[in-house]
Amino acid sequence: MMHKLSVVGICEPKLLTYDIESIRIHLNFDHVVSNPSGDMWIFFSLPFSSVAVGDSDQHLSISFGHPQCSCPFTVSFVHAKCTAVERRRLWHALLSDKPCQEPWYIVGDFNLILSANEKRGGRPFQPSQGLELSHFMDEAGVFDAGFFGSSFTWCNNRSERARIWKRLEIGRAHV
C-alpha cells in the first residue's frame, strides 16, 4: 500500500533556501517553512494547518492542526549543535516552546546518546555522557517514543576499527 506523506522534516539539506520553493513544488507539498539558519526545512500538505511556535538556529517548533485531530499538536524539529554550551540554548528554547495542554513531539538530531546500546565502536560509552539529554528529558517531561528500522542513524565513515556508529536521530514525546 502506498502512503502519501503529509509532513516531512529535513535537517541539514545542504542546499540554499533559495531552492526551497522549487523543491517544495518538485516534492508536491503545499507549504514549506524553514528555521532562521535555513538548515531545517519542514514540508507539509493540506489539510494540515500550521502556526510557528518558536525557532532558532537549532530547532523549529510548529503547532499543527488537522480536521481529524481533536486538538492541535506541536512538533519541535531539532538539529542540535555539537557542544554542550550551544545545546543549552536549545534546551531553553525548547522548554519555552512546550505547549501547556496539547501533545508535544520532539524529533531530529540531538547529537547525543543516552546509553551504550545507542553506540558501536570508538571509546566506550560513559554514562555521564547521557546525563545532559536525560536531564533535559526529565525537565521537559518527555520520553523516548521508540523507533523502528536501523539501530544506528549516524556513522563517521571511517574504516574498520576506527568506525563509530550512533543513534543520534531520536523521537521524544510528551502526551
mmCIF file of all heavy atoms in Angstrom, residues 30-72:
data_model
loop_
_atom_site.group_PDB
_atom_site.id
_atom_site.type_symbol
_atom_site.label_atom_id
_atom_site.label_comp_id
_atom_site.label_asym_id
_atom_site.label_seq_id
_atom_site.Cartn_x
_atom_site.Cartn_y
_atom_site.Cartn_z
ATOM 1 N N ASP A 30 2.232 21.324 -0.213
ATOM 2 C CA ASP A 30 1.521 22.602 -0.307
ATOM 3 C C ASP A 30 2.276 23.753 0.345
ATOM 4 O O ASP A 30 2.161 24.897 -0.085
ATOM 5 C CB ASP A 30 0.126 22.480 0.329
ATOM 6 C CG ASP A 30 -0.752 21.488 -0.409
ATOM 7 O OD1 ASP A 30 -0.738 21.498 -1.660
ATOM 8 O OD2 ASP A 30 -1.445 20.696 0.264
ATOM 9 N N HIS A 31 3.009 23.471 1.417
ATOM 10 C CA HIS A 31 3.687 24.529 2.181
ATOM 11 C C HIS A 31 5.072 24.064 2.630
ATOM 12 O O HIS A 31 5.323 22.861 2.756
ATOM 13 C CB HIS A 31 2.878 24.899 3.425
ATOM 14 C CG HIS A 31 1.500 25.374 3.114
ATOM 15 N ND1 HIS A 31 1.235 26.636 2.666
ATOM 16 C CD2 HIS A 31 0.303 24.745 3.182
ATOM 17 C CE1 HIS A 31 -0.058 26.776 2.473
ATOM 18 N NE2 HIS A 31 -0.658 25.632 2.770
ATOM 19 N N VAL A 32 5.932 25.041 2.920
ATOM 20 C CA VAL A 32 7.237 24.755 3.498
ATOM 21 C C VAL A 32 7.612 25.902 4.424
ATOM 22 O O VAL A 32 7.293 27.063 4.149
ATOM 23 C CB VAL A 32 8.328 24.532 2.414
ATOM 24 C CG1 VAL A 32 8.532 25.782 1.572
ATOM 25 C CG2 VAL A 32 9.645 24.081 3.038
ATOM 26 N N VAL A 33 8.233 25.576 5.552
ATOM 27 C CA VAL A 33 8.779 26.583 6.465
ATOM 28 C C VAL A 33 10.210 26.190 6.786
ATOM 29 O O VAL A 33 10.590 25.014 6.706
ATOM 30 C CB VAL A 33 7.947 26.733 7.754
ATOM 31 C CG1 VAL A 33 6.598 27.333 7.469
ATOM 32 C CG2 VAL A 33 7.800 25.406 8.468
ATOM 33 N N SER A 34 11.004 27.188 7.163
ATOM 34 C CA SER A 34 12.415 26.967 7.455
ATOM 35 C C SER A 34 12.782 27.710 8.726
ATOM 36 O O SER A 34 12.171 28.740 9.044
ATOM 37 C CB SER A 34 13.251 27.487 6.274
ATOM 38 O OG SER A 34 14.627 27.427 6.570
ATOM 39 N N ASN A 35 13.783 27.204 9.448
ATOM 40 C CA ASN A 35 14.277 27.946 10.607
ATOM 41 C C ASN A 35 15.193 29.079 10.123
ATOM 42 O O ASN A 35 15.547 29.128 8.935
ATOM 43 C CB ASN A 35 14.980 27.006 11.594
ATOM 44 C CG ASN A 35 16.285 26.439 11.095
ATOM 45 O OD1 ASN A 35 16.506 26.314 9.896
ATOM 46 N ND2 ASN A 35 17.160 26.074 12.017
ATOM 47 N N PRO A 36 15.575 30.019 10.998
ATOM 48 C CA PRO A 36 16.342 31.190 10.566
ATOM 49 C C PRO A 36 17.669 30.864 9.870
ATOM 50 O O PRO A 36 18.065 31.569 8.941
ATOM 51 C CB PRO A 36 16.608 31.959 11.862
ATOM 52 C CG PRO A 36 15.558 31.512 12.809
ATOM 53 C CD PRO A 36 15.233 30.094 12.423
ATOM 54 N N SER A 37 18.333 29.812 10.282
ATOM 55 C CA SER A 37 19.620 29.473 9.676
ATOM 56 C C SER A 37 19.463 28.725 8.356
ATOM 57 O O SER A 37 20.433 28.508 7.643
ATOM 58 C CB SER A 37 20.476 28.656 10.643
ATOM 59 O OG SER A 37 19.792 27.481 11.027
ATOM 60 N N GLY A 38 18.245 28.306 8.020
ATOM 61 C CA GLY A 38 17.978 27.632 6.755
ATOM 62 C C GLY A 38 18.456 26.199 6.691
ATOM 63 O O GLY A 38 18.456 25.586 5.628
ATOM 64 N N ASP A 39 18.832 25.622 7.842
ATOM 65 C CA ASP A 39 19.294 24.230 7.808
ATOM 66 C C ASP A 39 18.242 23.238 8.300
ATOM 67 O O ASP A 39 18.548 22.087 8.567
ATOM 68 C CB ASP A 39 20.612 24.074 8.569
ATOM 69 C CG ASP A 39 20.488 24.290 10.063
ATOM 70 O OD1 ASP A 39 19.432 24.740 10.512
ATOM 71 O OD2 ASP A 39 21.466 24.005 10.775
ATOM 72 N N MET A 40 16.998 23.697 8.390
ATOM 73 C CA MET A 40 15.899 22.817 8.747
ATOM 74 C C MET A 40 14.677 23.228 7.925
ATOM 75 O O MET A 40 14.223 24.367 8.011
ATOM 76 C CB MET A 40 15.594 22.951 10.233
ATOM 77 C CG MET A 40 14.680 21.906 10.738
ATOM 78 S SD MET A 40 14.694 21.888 12.527
ATOM 79 C CE MET A 40 16.428 21.819 12.878
ATOM 80 N N TRP A 41 14.181 22.310 7.104
ATOM 81 C CA TRP A 41 13.044 22.581 6.236
ATOM 82 C C TRP A 41 11.913 21.631 6.604
ATOM 83 O O TRP A 41 12.112 20.418 6.668
ATOM 84 C CB TRP A 41 13.404 22.368 4.778
ATOM 85 C CG TRP A 41 14.505 23.232 4.244
ATOM 86 C CD1 TRP A 41 15.186 24.219 4.900
ATOM 87 C CD2 TRP A 41 15.057 23.178 2.935
ATOM 88 N NE1 TRP A 41 16.125 24.783 4.067
ATOM 89 C CE2 TRP A 41 16.068 24.163 2.849
ATOM 90 C CE3 TRP A 41 14.794 22.404 1.818
ATOM 91 C CZ2 TRP A 41 16.810 24.388 1.697
ATOM 92 C CZ3 TRP A 41 15.535 22.620 0.671
ATOM 93 C CH2 TRP A 41 16.521 23.608 0.617
ATOM 94 N N ILE A 42 10.720 22.181 6.793
ATOM 95 C CA ILE A 42 9.554 21.368 7.109
ATOM 96 C C ILE A 42 8.531 21.555 5.989
ATOM 97 O O ILE A 42 8.044 22.661 5.758
ATOM 98 C CB ILE A 42 8.924 21.767 8.460
ATOM 99 C CG1 ILE A 42 9.987 21.893 9.557
ATOM 100 C CG2 ILE A 42 7.811 20.790 8.834
ATOM 101 C CD1 ILE A 42 10.874 20.678 9.749
ATOM 102 N N PHE A 43 8.232 20.476 5.291
ATOM 103 C CA PHE A 43 7.253 20.467 4.209
ATOM 104 C C PHE A 43 5.969 19.849 4.741
ATOM 105 O O PHE A 43 6.023 18.853 5.472
ATOM 106 C CB PHE A 43 7.749 19.614 3.035
ATOM 107 C CG PHE A 43 9.026 20.104 2.412
ATOM 108 C CD1 PHE A 43 10.259 19.681 2.880
ATOM 109 C CD2 PHE A 43 8.992 20.987 1.340
ATOM 110 C CE1 PHE A 43 11.434 20.129 2.296
ATOM 111 C CE2 PHE A 43 10.152 21.439 0.744
ATOM 112 C CZ PHE A 43 11.388 21.008 1.225
ATOM 113 N N PHE A 44 4.817 20.405 4.364
ATOM 114 C CA PHE A 44 3.556 19.777 4.750
ATOM 115 C C PHE A 44 2.477 20.110 3.732
ATOM 116 O O PHE A 44 2.599 21.045 2.944
ATOM 117 C CB PHE A 44 3.132 20.159 6.171
ATOM 118 C CG PHE A 44 2.855 21.617 6.378
ATOM 119 C CD1 PHE A 44 1.557 22.104 6.328
ATOM 120 C CD2 PHE A 44 3.889 22.503 6.635
ATOM 121 C CE1 PHE A 44 1.304 23.447 6.522
ATOM 122 C CE2 PHE A 44 3.643 23.845 6.847
ATOM 123 C CZ PHE A 44 2.349 24.322 6.783
ATOM 124 N N SER A 45 1.436 19.295 3.753
ATOM 125 C CA SER A 45 0.330 19.437 2.796
ATOM 126 C C SER A 45 -0.990 19.613 3.522
ATOM 127 O O SER A 45 -1.130 19.240 4.690
ATOM 128 C CB SER A 45 0.253 18.206 1.890
ATOM 129 O OG SER A 45 1.371 18.184 1.023
ATOM 130 N N LEU A 46 -1.948 20.158 2.814
ATOM 131 C CA LEU A 46 -3.303 20.296 3.324
ATOM 132 C C LEU A 46 -3.890 18.903 3.522
ATOM 133 O O LEU A 46 -3.489 17.975 2.810
ATOM 134 C CB LEU A 46 -4.148 21.105 2.332
ATOM 135 C CG LEU A 46 -3.661 22.535 2.091
ATOM 136 C CD1 LEU A 46 -4.449 23.170 0.966
ATOM 137 C CD2 LEU A 46 -3.766 23.366 3.356
ATOM 138 N N PRO A 47 -4.719 18.682 4.480
ATOM 139 C CA PRO A 47 -5.453 19.658 5.268
ATOM 140 C C PRO A 47 -4.733 20.103 6.541
ATOM 141 O O PRO A 47 -5.348 20.714 7.412
ATOM 142 C CB PRO A 47 -6.746 18.940 5.605
ATOM 143 C CG PRO A 47 -6.345 17.514 5.732
ATOM 144 C CD PRO A 47 -5.251 17.329 4.703
ATOM 145 N N PHE A 48 -3.422 19.815 6.701
ATOM 146 C CA PHE A 48 -2.693 20.330 7.859
ATOM 147 C C PHE A 48 -2.647 21.847 7.798
ATOM 148 O O PHE A 48 -2.482 22.442 6.733
ATOM 149 C CB PHE A 48 -1.254 19.797 7.902
ATOM 150 C CG PHE A 48 -1.139 18.418 8.472
ATOM 151 C CD1 PHE A 48 -1.037 17.322 7.638
ATOM 152 C CD2 PHE A 48 -1.137 18.214 9.843
ATOM 153 C CE1 PHE A 48 -0.934 16.045 8.156
ATOM 154 C CE2 PHE A 48 -1.029 16.949 10.374
ATOM 155 C CZ PHE A 48 -0.930 15.852 9.530
ATOM 156 N N SER A 49 -2.795 22.465 8.946
ATOM 157 C CA SER A 49 -2.562 23.894 9.081
ATOM 158 C C SER A 49 -1.431 24.048 10.096
ATOM 159 O O SER A 49 -1.155 23.127 10.871
ATOM 160 C CB SER A 49 -3.823 24.607 9.575
ATOM 161 O OG SER A 49 -4.210 24.101 10.840
ATOM 162 N N SER A 50 -0.759 25.193 10.095
ATOM 163 C CA SER A 50 0.386 25.334 10.990
ATOM 164 C C SER A 50 0.511 26.745 11.525
ATOM 165 O O SER A 50 0.089 27.713 10.883
ATOM 166 C CB SER A 50 1.673 24.961 10.270
ATOM 167 O OG SER A 50 2.042 25.994 9.377
ATOM 168 N N VAL A 51 1.091 26.816 12.714
ATOM 169 C CA VAL A 51 1.470 28.081 13.326
ATOM 170 C C VAL A 51 2.855 27.866 13.913
ATOM 171 O O VAL A 51 3.066 26.926 14.691
ATOM 172 C CB VAL A 51 0.482 28.491 14.452
ATOM 173 C CG1 VAL A 51 0.961 29.741 15.164
ATOM 174 C CG2 VAL A 51 -0.916 28.674 13.904
ATOM 175 N N ALA A 52 3.809 28.714 13.528
ATOM 176 C CA ALA A 52 5.160 28.614 14.095
ATOM 177 C C ALA A 52 5.096 29.018 15.562
ATOM 178 O O ALA A 52 4.529 30.056 15.911
ATOM 179 C CB ALA A 52 6.123 29.497 13.326
ATOM 180 N N VAL A 53 5.662 28.190 16.432
ATOM 181 C CA VAL A 53 5.656 28.435 17.868
ATOM 182 C C VAL A 53 6.990 29.038 18.307
ATOM 183 O O VAL A 53 7.041 29.881 19.186
ATOM 184 C CB VAL A 53 5.371 27.122 18.634
ATOM 185 C CG1 VAL A 53 5.468 27.314 20.123
ATOM 186 C CG2 VAL A 53 4.014 26.565 18.247
ATOM 187 N N GLY A 54 8.076 28.571 17.713
ATOM 188 C CA GLY A 54 9.401 29.060 18.068
ATOM 189 C C GLY A 54 10.438 28.520 17.114
ATOM 190 O O GLY A 54 10.225 27.506 16.457
ATOM 191 N N ASP A 55 11.565 29.231 17.028
ATOM 192 C CA ASP A 55 12.644 28.756 16.172
ATOM 193 C C ASP A 55 13.976 29.311 16.648
ATOM 194 O O ASP A 55 14.028 30.255 17.422
ATOM 195 C CB ASP A 55 12.406 29.126 14.702
ATOM 196 C CG ASP A 55 12.306 30.625 14.483
ATOM 197 O OD1 ASP A 55 13.034 31.401 15.126
ATOM 198 O OD2 ASP A 55 11.486 31.037 13.650
ATOM 199 N N SER A 56 15.024 28.666 16.207
ATOM 200 C CA SER A 56 16.390 29.099 16.486
ATOM 201 C C SER A 56 17.268 28.477 15.415
ATOM 202 O O SER A 56 16.769 27.831 14.490
ATOM 203 C CB SER A 56 16.837 28.638 17.875
ATOM 204 O OG SER A 56 17.103 27.236 17.892
ATOM 205 N N ASP A 57 18.563 28.644 15.564
ATOM 206 C CA ASP A 57 19.476 28.009 14.617
ATOM 207 C C ASP A 57 19.577 26.507 14.849
ATOM 208 O O ASP A 57 20.228 25.808 14.081
ATOM 209 C CB ASP A 57 20.858 28.668 14.671
ATOM 210 C CG ASP A 57 21.516 28.549 16.034
ATOM 211 O OD1 ASP A 57 20.810 28.340 17.045
ATOM 212 O OD2 ASP A 57 22.750 28.674 16.106
ATOM 213 N N GLN A 58 18.899 25.986 15.908
ATOM 214 C CA GLN A 58 18.948 24.558 16.218
ATOM 215 C C GLN A 58 17.588 23.865 16.207
ATOM 216 O O GLN A 58 17.518 22.660 16.402
ATOM 217 C CB GLN A 58 19.578 24.333 17.601
ATOM 218 C CG GLN A 58 20.995 24.842 17.721
ATOM 219 C CD GLN A 58 21.550 24.554 19.090
ATOM 220 O OE1 GLN A 58 21.905 23.405 19.394
ATOM 221 N NE2 GLN A 58 21.633 25.570 19.933
ATOM 222 N N HIS A 59 16.511 24.620 16.009
ATOM 223 C CA HIS A 59 15.194 23.969 16.062
ATOM 224 C C HIS A 59 14.137 24.809 15.359
ATOM 225 O O HIS A 59 14.346 25.983 15.050
ATOM 226 C CB HIS A 59 14.785 23.706 17.507
ATOM 227 C CG HIS A 59 14.047 24.833 18.158
ATOM 228 N ND1 HIS A 59 14.629 26.055 18.476
ATOM 229 C CD2 HIS A 59 12.757 24.932 18.544
ATOM 230 C CE1 HIS A 59 13.731 26.834 19.040
ATOM 231 N NE2 HIS A 59 12.584 26.188 19.086
ATOM 232 N N LEU A 60 13.006 24.151 15.152
ATOM 233 C CA LEU A 60 11.817 24.808 14.617
ATOM 234 C C LEU A 60 10.616 24.101 15.231
ATOM 235 O O LEU A 60 10.458 22.887 15.075
ATOM 236 C CB LEU A 60 11.791 24.695 13.087
ATOM 237 C CG LEU A 60 10.629 25.307 12.329
ATOM 238 C CD1 LEU A 60 10.467 26.783 12.644
ATOM 239 C CD2 LEU A 60 10.829 25.108 10.833
ATOM 240 N N SER A 61 9.799 24.841 15.989
ATOM 241 C CA SER A 61 8.611 24.269 16.629
ATOM 242 C C SER A 61 7.364 24.778 15.923
ATOM 243 O O SER A 61 7.202 25.988 15.722
ATOM 244 C CB SER A 61 8.543 24.654 18.110
ATOM 245 O OG SER A 61 9.592 24.057 18.833
ATOM 246 N N ILE A 62 6.490 23.838 15.557
ATOM 247 C CA ILE A 62 5.284 24.163 14.807
ATOM 248 C C ILE A 62 4.087 23.500 15.474
ATOM 249 O O ILE A 62 4.123 22.308 15.799
ATOM 250 C CB ILE A 62 5.389 23.670 13.346
ATOM 251 C CG1 ILE A 62 6.590 24.321 12.651
ATOM 252 C CG2 ILE A 62 4.097 23.951 12.588
ATOM 253 C CD1 ILE A 62 6.880 23.766 11.277
ATOM 254 N N SER A 63 3.030 24.278 15.667
ATOM 255 C CA SER A 63 1.765 23.724 16.138
ATOM 256 C C SER A 63 0.937 23.389 14.897
ATOM 257 O O SER A 63 0.642 24.267 14.084
ATOM 258 C CB SER A 63 1.027 24.732 17.022
ATOM 259 O OG SER A 63 -0.218 24.204 17.416
ATOM 260 N N PHE A 64 0.607 22.118 14.757
ATOM 261 C CA PHE A 64 -0.168 21.651 13.611
ATOM 262 C C PHE A 64 -1.613 21.411 14.014
ATOM 263 O O PHE A 64 -1.890 20.933 15.114
ATOM 264 C CB PHE A 64 0.391 20.328 13.072
ATOM 265 C CG PHE A 64 1.684 20.446 12.327
ATOM 266 C CD1 PHE A 64 2.881 20.079 12.927
ATOM 267 C CD2 PHE A 64 1.715 20.923 11.025
ATOM 268 C CE1 PHE A 64 4.077 20.175 12.235
ATOM 269 C CE2 PHE A 64 2.902 21.025 10.322
ATOM 270 C CZ PHE A 64 4.088 20.651 10.933
ATOM 271 N N GLY A 65 -2.504 21.711 13.094
ATOM 272 C CA GLY A 65 -3.904 21.358 13.238
ATOM 273 C C GLY A 65 -4.298 20.461 12.081
ATOM 274 O O GLY A 65 -3.671 20.500 11.014
ATOM 275 N N HIS A 66 -5.293 19.632 12.308
ATOM 276 C CA HIS A 66 -5.788 18.737 11.264
ATOM 277 C C HIS A 66 -7.257 18.454 11.570
ATOM 278 O O HIS A 66 -7.614 18.246 12.733
ATOM 279 C CB HIS A 66 -4.984 17.429 11.250
ATOM 280 C CG HIS A 66 -5.238 16.588 10.054
ATOM 281 N ND1 HIS A 66 -6.350 15.781 9.932
ATOM 282 C CD2 HIS A 66 -4.523 16.428 8.911
ATOM 283 C CE1 HIS A 66 -6.310 15.154 8.771
ATOM 284 N NE2 HIS A 66 -5.212 15.528 8.131
ATOM 285 N N PRO A 67 -8.116 18.442 10.553
ATOM 286 C CA PRO A 67 -9.549 18.213 10.795
ATOM 287 C C PRO A 67 -9.861 16.908 11.540
ATOM 288 O O PRO A 67 -10.857 16.821 12.236
ATOM 289 C CB PRO A 67 -10.157 18.181 9.394
ATOM 290 C CG PRO A 67 -9.176 18.854 8.515
ATOM 291 C CD PRO A 67 -7.833 18.662 9.134
ATOM 292 N N GLN A 68 -9.016 15.903 11.414
ATOM 293 C CA GLN A 68 -9.285 14.623 12.070
ATOM 294 C C GLN A 68 -8.713 14.551 13.483
ATOM 295 O O GLN A 68 -8.891 13.547 14.168
ATOM 296 C CB GLN A 68 -8.745 13.477 11.225
ATOM 297 C CG GLN A 68 -9.478 13.329 9.911
ATOM 298 C CD GLN A 68 -8.943 12.188 9.066
ATOM 299 O OE1 GLN A 68 -7.906 11.614 9.350
ATOM 300 N NE2 GLN A 68 -9.668 11.874 8.006
ATOM 301 N N CYS A 69 -8.013 15.591 13.924
ATOM 302 C CA CYS A 69 -7.446 15.623 15.282
ATOM 303 C C CYS A 69 -8.324 16.505 16.163
ATOM 304 O O CYS A 69 -8.735 17.586 15.755
ATOM 305 C CB CYS A 69 -6.027 16.167 15.269
ATOM 306 S SG CYS A 69 -4.864 15.129 14.380
ATOM 307 N N SER A 70 -8.587 16.046 17.370
ATOM 308 C CA SER A 70 -9.465 16.799 18.268
ATOM 309 C C SER A 70 -8.803 18.056 18.820
ATOM 310 O O SER A 70 -9.492 18.970 19.262
ATOM 311 C CB SER A 70 -9.926 15.899 19.417
ATOM 312 O OG SER A 70 -8.803 15.441 20.141
ATOM 313 N N CYS A 71 -7.476 18.100 18.813
ATOM 314 C CA CYS A 71 -6.769 19.292 19.280
ATOM 315 C C CYS A 71 -5.484 19.438 18.476
ATOM 316 O O CYS A 71 -4.990 18.478 17.890
ATOM 317 C CB CYS A 71 -6.475 19.195 20.769
ATOM 318 S SG CYS A 71 -5.248 17.946 21.213
ATOM 319 N N PRO A 72 -4.909 20.637 18.461
ATOM 320 C CA PRO A 72 -3.633 20.799 17.763
ATOM 321 C C PRO A 72 -2.527 20.037 18.495
ATOM 322 O O PRO A 72 -2.692 19.653 19.661
ATOM 323 C CB PRO A 72 -3.384 22.311 17.804
ATOM 324 C CG PRO A 72 -4.336 22.877 18.768
ATOM 325 C CD PRO A 72 -5.399 21.858 19.050
#
